[in-house]
Amino acid sequence: MGSYLIRRIARTLLVMLGISLLVFVFVRSIPGDPATAMLGERATPQAVKNLRTQLGLDKPWFFNPTNPLDAQYPKYVSALAKGDLGSGIKSNIPVRDELGSRFPATAELSLAALFFALVIGLPAGILAALRRNSVWDNLATTISLVGVSMPVFWLGLLLSYFFAVKLGWLPPSARLGNESTLQPITGFYVLDGILRGSPADAWDALRHLILPAIALGSIPLAIIARITRSSLLDVLGQDYVRTARAKGLSQRSITLKHALRNALLPVVTVIGLQAGALLGGAVLTETIFSWPGIGSWVYEAISQRDYPIIQGGVIFAALVVSVTNLLVDLSYATLDPRIQYR
Amino acid sequence: MTAVSPTAPQQKKQPSIFSRRFRRSTPGKVGAAIVAVFVLLALLAPILKPYDASSDRNYRLNLKPPSVAALWDKDVAEEYRDPVTGQVNPWSHLFGTDNLGRDVLTRVWHGTAISLKVGVVSTVLALVIGTLVGVLAGYFGGWFDSVTGYLSDVMLAFPSILLAIGFASIFSADNPPLLVSAINSLFVLNSPQLVTAMLAVSLVQIPVYMRLSRAVVLGLREREFVQASGALGATQIRTVFKHVLPNSLSPLIVQGALSIATATIEVAALGFLGIGAQPPLPEWGTMISDSRQYYVDSPWTMIFPGLAIFLTVLGFNLLGDGLRDVLDPRSTQ
């Protein structure tokens, strides 16, 4: 386990280095000069030159013959290692601070979406596998097919149109109502409302959360339902399930104690893989529902060509995905004791 | 003559297994039908209803609801009444009109060709490049395998839409690189930004094919027929392209159909974020993006383009499922 853990973490770090290199090259390949972008089109050439020197943009990219470490990439990586992602061009707020203040919004939305996906997807998949070729099976298969085929941004607009505009049941945007005076503690507003002892605020936050969470959770729901169904069907066909049935166990006991636990391994893998999909989907969902998280922030940064923010947001997303994958890999041993890491 | 006849049905058997299995697969049939309808629509659009997006304007009829509503709704009928003749044609704008008075039906119809071309081309590019790299990595192993494996690890760590955004923002639209302009004119897309978005989506899919084809080849490499080919003196290149590659195509074709669906959604998503196709091009994602300011009062500007994306994607997903039933029966439950 020990040496596997070290190798697996080393691999994650190596991938992170590759990510930083890729993002570094990307940002420097985007047309337009950051110094000109910061100062505006009418800046004097001298001012642009000074700012370029100040930002270190006059240095070579990877290697400086006179002083090997005095180049852009080594400096950039060492800053990254310290957690320094630079500052937004327009706002001049450090990217790290803004990431920190926006992360709870995205995390709350993503967790709510995942919760929604699990609460519907898991039972749907199980039911479909147990009652194979029944109405329930067809329904679950249809739901998962519709879920993967539905563009998230269109679903978001449809939900917003029917439930917010037409029926007026739920708010169309933001995280809280205008007159809310909730003081955040954790940044998870539903939780904050409860912690502050204010059910009204928690309810308000929850109502704002529902539509974006459904939109964002639609694809994970579909995938979870599909994988649960096929994985459980696979396990239910195994010899040991037949043995369990032969020795007279009830179907309920077979399903819950023997089959489900073994069937969940691929489901956990897939849930882990959804981290990336959720963060990617957050760009679209947050934009539609004016959700003040990382996704809508990165989207605004793209339209304003604010490179430090794009760079920081993308690196952060890739970090989250890599770490989630690592955790998923390590969780296998707990779920399936037969798996030994060497 | 008599010696030939036993072999003739043998040769005919191969395609008939495919079609027989495919005909038994309901998702496959439905998917194929949906895709066929959209392909037909795309082919017929320029013949039945020539359209020039750049000159299409009608300010008298902007943001009007679907015209069929004129049959039962007097207000709608009033809006569609021709000021000269006093006639109402309830079939004139079946999907309503957008903010510039453009017929949504016409635009959705003409968007079909764009989305199909973009989805298919980006998938084929990813499939060819990814498979080639993956097959070579799987067959030869060694440092090439390590390097490409590492590269695909790095690329798969990005949420695909963010990676696509990154790729798409590299190229300047005013001065597109040769590759972009070449693809642009080759497939008559008339939009360098759309080509850039398409390449971005394609690039994001490459590691998927690298992994898939590598895994398939690893399984094939030790099989007797591959070793026999080497024993008979075939060069490694010949072995790869004559024996390994043709036998690894089934899962790749299945994945191909499914990734046309993904590519269609992702290119539309980029259009929605303002990175892909630019107005006035009738690309579905861009149309939904345009409608964001108006959909509260005029939902039809958003509903119909979205429905078109949904149906196309559904069609390719069903087709992929059907192909899996046929080509890879062991993986289906």
Side-chain angles (χ1 to χ4, degrees), chain B residues 217-241:
Chain B
V217 167
L218 281 182
L220 283 175
R221 199 172 58 175
E222 306 305 327
R223 295 270 293 273
E224 286 84 354
F225 71 91
V226 175
Q227 298 187 334
S229 154
L232 286 170
T235 61
Q236 290 197 312
I237 296 292
R238 186 184 161 85
T239 308
V240 169
F241 286 99

Side-chain angles (χ1 to χ4, degrees), chain A residues 11 14 26 31 149 160 226, chain B residues 150 153 170 295 317 321 333:
Chain A
R11 193 186 160 93
L14 208 62
F26 265 158
S149 306
S160 160
R226 194 177 233 192
Chain B
Y150 173 67
D153 272 359
I170 289 183
Y295 82 92
N317 274 331
D321 285 351
Q333 287 289 341

Side-chain angles (χ1 to χ4, degrees), chain B residues 60-82 86-97 297 300:
Chain B
R60 192 182 69 80
L61 279 177
N62 66 335
L63 294 174
K64 295 284 177 280
S67 51
V68 238
L71 292 176
W72 61 86
D73 189 329
K74 286 218 168 60
D75 295 339
V76 176
E78 234 19 75
E79 282 175 340
Y80 277 106
R81 195 172 297 283
D82 194 310
Q87 297 278 307
V88 179
N89 177 5
W91 314 112
S92 60
H93 298 289
L94 277 179
F95 290 1
T97 62
D297 297 312
W300 53 88

Side-chain angles (χ1 to χ4, degrees), chain B residues 32-86:
Chain B
I34 296 177
V35 171
V37 166
F38 273 97
V39 169
L40 206 63
L41 284 174
L43 291 175
L44 289 178
I47 303 166
L48 294 183
K49 193 146 191 171
Y51 179 68
D52 179 11
S54 54
S55 64
D56 184 16
R57 300 276 188 285
N58 183 356
Y59 292 108
R60 192 182 69 80
L61 279 177
N62 66 335
L63 294 174
K64 295 284 177 280
S67 51
V68 238
L71 292 176
W72 61 86
D73 189 329
K74 286 218 168 60
D75 295 339
V76 176
E78 234 19 75
E79 282 175 340
Y80 277 106
R81 195 172 297 283
D82 194 310
V84 183
T85 59

Side-chain angles (χ1 to χ4, degrees), chain A residues 168-254:
Chain A
W169 290 352
L170 293 162
S173 62
R175 295 183 70 190
L176 288 170
N178 284 332
E179 57 278 12
S180 171
T181 54
L182 180 71
Q183 294 291 318
I185 309 169
T186 57
F188 289 63
Y189 285 177
V190 178
L191 190 63
D192 287 347
I194 297 167
L195 289 177
R196 291 276 180 209
S198 158
D201 278 329
W203 174 239
D204 185 36
L206 189 63
R207 277 166 42 90
H208 282 82
L209 188 56
I210 292 173
L211 291 182
I214 293 177
L216 186 55
S218 62
I219 292 178
L221 188 160
I223 294 171
I224 288 170
R226 194 177 233 192
I227 297 288
T228 308
R229 175 183 180 273
S230 69
S231 167
L232 189 57
L233 276 178
D234 193 37
V235 171
L236 286 174
Q238 301 271 323
D239 288 344
Y240 70 87
V241 170
R242 194 168 359 134
T243 310
R245 199 168 284 141
K247 71 181 188 184
L249 288 185
S250 67
Q251 181 63 42
R252 183 191 167 84
S253 165
I254 293 171

